[in-house]
Amino acid sequence: MLARLRRVPFAAQVLLALVLGVALGLVARDLGPVADGTPNWLTSTLATIGSTFVTLLKVLVPPLIVTAVIVSIANLKQVSNAARLAGQTLLWFAITALIAVAIGIGLGLLTEPGRNSSVDAAAQAAPEKAGGWFDFLTGLVPGNVFGLQGSADGSLSFNVLQLIVIAVAIGISALKVDEPAEPFLGFVRAALAIVQKVLWWVILLAPIGTLGLIGNAVATYGWESLGSLGVFAGAVYAGLALVLFVVYPVLLRLHGLSPLRYFAGAWPAIQLAFVSRSSIGTLPVTERVTEQNLGVPRSYASFAVPLGATTKMDGCAAIYPALAAIFVAQFFGVDLSITDYLLIALVSVIGSAATAGVTGAVVMLTLTLSTLGLPLAGVGLLLAIDPILDMGRTAVNVAGQALVPTIVAKREGILDVERYRATSTIDPLARVDERGGVDADLREPATV
């Protein structure tokens, strides 16, 4: 039975789980809360399944990022254009973000969501914590060698951007040390193989996690909350669709690549991002499809994809804050000038790094509103539908995180075009090789 299930394509498994999750979520919503107002047993079960899956993914992300980045830098030992690759990656991050924010501003001016909303602002309050430009430095400079940071409840969490900074420093140092660092690099490569092995055991649970995540979202929020903010929600999803299905295909065509082949290869990651609402949680699948289906060399993808997972957010840091800022301005009757629109674009292009390691879209929104001097109470107006919007935002984020490395690899002549154009794609959950957690048909790390 399990063997038959494994033969079902990953995308089909997730799609079936998504449909079943919606159905169970609707049932749970009809059951309603119990007498004391707590969620019913079905809602609680769905919430537990979904949160457990995301937690399992997140707990493995820190060792994955550290080992993958160190190994990727070590693989660039004899490469002369590593700095150029990094520069091109950041440049295309900025270019696509600028296009996305322009679309967001255009849709905001066209639909005027703040003037076409029936939401009541009477009970809304400003968020407890607002994003700021100093968050960028706080997120960039490691407070300790493990990239750990505390929270208000006393718990500890990993700051992903700090982990990348630490891993890059260690990787570059290992290159400088050269021969004496070989035993250490051998250990890191072994650790990466072990982490990959455990990680794919967790990824096998993706359909079950999808069922819980989407089921809990439907049971908890439903679709009724879209009513008062329907124009805004529609504008956000219209912008996301334009970026995903118009802008990205045009950029691919300009580089001689088929958009259909891109979507066929990247769709498993885009789909998982939609239901999990986590770029970091989707990182393992994003990196895998970027390498195996899109033909990006592993030595480059293992650097660009983790970097993109923390700083490349066309959905959360470009379209959404642009539309939300215009919504808040219109709702509170504040007229925005050309300078204000330019500031929105500037914040969206260079400010997304300030959200790394914290709650992305909300912090990015407060950062944008603070820069424009708009009421932070406007954030509270949009929180009711944020989970529903976050699904689409995260899907576009992950799509961009796979797109940019593909375009840069094509421009630099290192893309495996034959693999990209292959009529069949490799299932991210394909058979795992027992030697190191890597598919048997997965090529060795390429020399960039």
Side-chain angles (χ1 to χ4, degrees):
M1 180 66 181
L2 182 59
R4 291 181 180 179
L5 181 62
R6 287 294 304 275
R7 285 197 290 268
V8 177
F10 172 70
Q13 293 183 37
V14 174
L15 181 60
L16 289 173
L18 191 150
V19 172
L20 182 57
V22 170
L24 291 176
L26 291 173
V27 172
R29 191 165 183 81
D30 286 338
L31 291 176
V34 296
D36 60 355
T38 59
N40 59 63
W41 68 271
L42 182 54
T43 302
S44 299
T45 301
L46 292 171
T48 301
I49 292 173
S51 62
T52 300
F53 173 68
V54 173
T55 300
L56 287 173
L57 281 177
K58 288 183 177 180
V59 78
L60 289 169
V61 166
L64 172 69
I65 290 179
V66 172
T67 55
V69 171
I70 292 175
V71 170
S72 68
I73 292 177
N75 289 340
L76 296 176
K77 183 175 182 179
Q78 299 178 343
V79 176
S80 58
N81 64 339
R84 176 179 171 82
L85 279 174
Q88 285 287 309
T89 302
L90 294 174
L91 175 62
W92 278 97
F93 280 179
I95 290 174
T96 52
L98 184 59
I99 295 173
V101 74
I103 290 175
I105 292 174
L107 285 172
L109 295 175
L110 179 65
T111 61
E112 297 188 331
R115 296 191 177 98
N116 294 284
S117 173
S118 60
V119 68
D120 183 8
Q124 307 301 335
E128 295 181 2
K129 180 176 176 12
W133 289 103
F134 284 109
D135 290 332
F136 174 77
L137 294 178
T138 303
L140 186 65
V141 180
N144 53 74
V145 73
F146 300 107
L148 286 170
Q149 61 180 13
S151 59
D153 59 3
S155 61
L156 294 175
S157 61
F158 288 96
N159 184 305
V160 177
L161 185 58
Q162 290 182 5
L163 286 176
I164 292 179
V165 171
I166 293 169
V168 169
I170 294 175
I172 295 176
S173 299
L175 286 181
K176 295 295 184 180
V177 172
D178 200 18
E179 188 68 26
E182 285 303 318
F184 168 74
L185 291 177
F187 167 78
V188 175
R189 288 189 176 97
L192 175 59
I194 293 171
V195 171
Q196 286 177 323
K197 185 69 169 181
V198 177
L199 198 52
W200 290 112
W201 290 342
V202 175
I203 294 295
L204 288 173
L205 301 174
I208 299 176
T210 297
L211 185 149
L213 289 165
I214 197 69
N216 180 58
V218 172
T220 304
Y221 303 101
W223 304 107
E224 295 88 344
S225 57
L226 285 174
S228 60
L229 293 166
V231 175
F232 175 74
V236 170
Y237 267 95
L240 296 173
L242 283 173
V243 171
L244 184 59
F245 297 116
V246 177
V247 174
Y248 289 173
V250 167
L251 291 176
L252 289 166
R253 282 293 186 191
L254 291 176
H255 289 87
L257 299 173
S258 166
L260 291 179
R261 298 313 312 155
Y262 164 78
F263 283 114
W267 196 253
I270 297 173
Q271 184 177 241
L272 182 60
F274 181 83
V275 295
S276 69
R277 296 170 48 204
S278 172
S279 294
I280 297 297
T282 311
L283 173 59
V285 175
T286 309
E287 188 170 348
R288 196 174 181 112
V289 299
T290 302
E291 297 171 7
Q292 296 190 24
N293 291 342
L294 302 181
V296 178
R298 187 189 308 173
S299 54
Y300 169 52
S302 61
F303 167 77
V305 176
L307 178 65
T310 61
T311 60
K312 175 58 181 167
M313 296 180 281
D314 288 343
C316 289
I319 297 174
Y320 179 74
L323 266 167
I326 293 174
F327 170 89
V328 172
Q330 292 173 347
F331 187 87
F332 288 100
V334 179
D335 293 326
L336 297 179
S337 64
I338 295 297
T339 302
D340 292 323
Y341 292 119
L342 292 176
L343 277 176
I344 292 175
L346 178 65
V347 173
S348 299
V349 172
I350 70 173
S352 59
T355 69
V358 289
T359 307
V362 174
V363 173
M364 188 65 196
L365 176 54
T366 60
L367 175 62
T368 305
L369 297 182
S370 298
T371 302
L372 296 174
L374 294 173
L376 291 179
V379 177
L381 302 173
L382 307 175
L383 289 180
I385 62 169
D386 189 72
I388 297 174
L389 300 181
D390 198 29
M391 294 188 291
R393 292 193 310 241
T394 309
V396 171
N397 292 345
V398 168
Q401 293 158 18
L403 176 89
V404 169
T406 303
I407 289 178
V408 172
K410 180 63 164 61
R411 292 175 63 87
E412 296 300 311
I414 61 175
L415 184 72
D416 187 339
V417 179
E418 291 184 4
R419 182 181 289 267
Y420 182 94
R421 294 175 177 172
T423 56
S424 61
T425 57
I426 299 173
D427 193 317
L429 299 183
R431 180 172 58 87
V432 178
D433 182 77
E434 294 297 330
R435 292 173 299 176
V438 181
D439 277 1
D441 61 346
L442 184 60
R443 56 185 171 167
E444 293 301 313
T447 301
V448 182

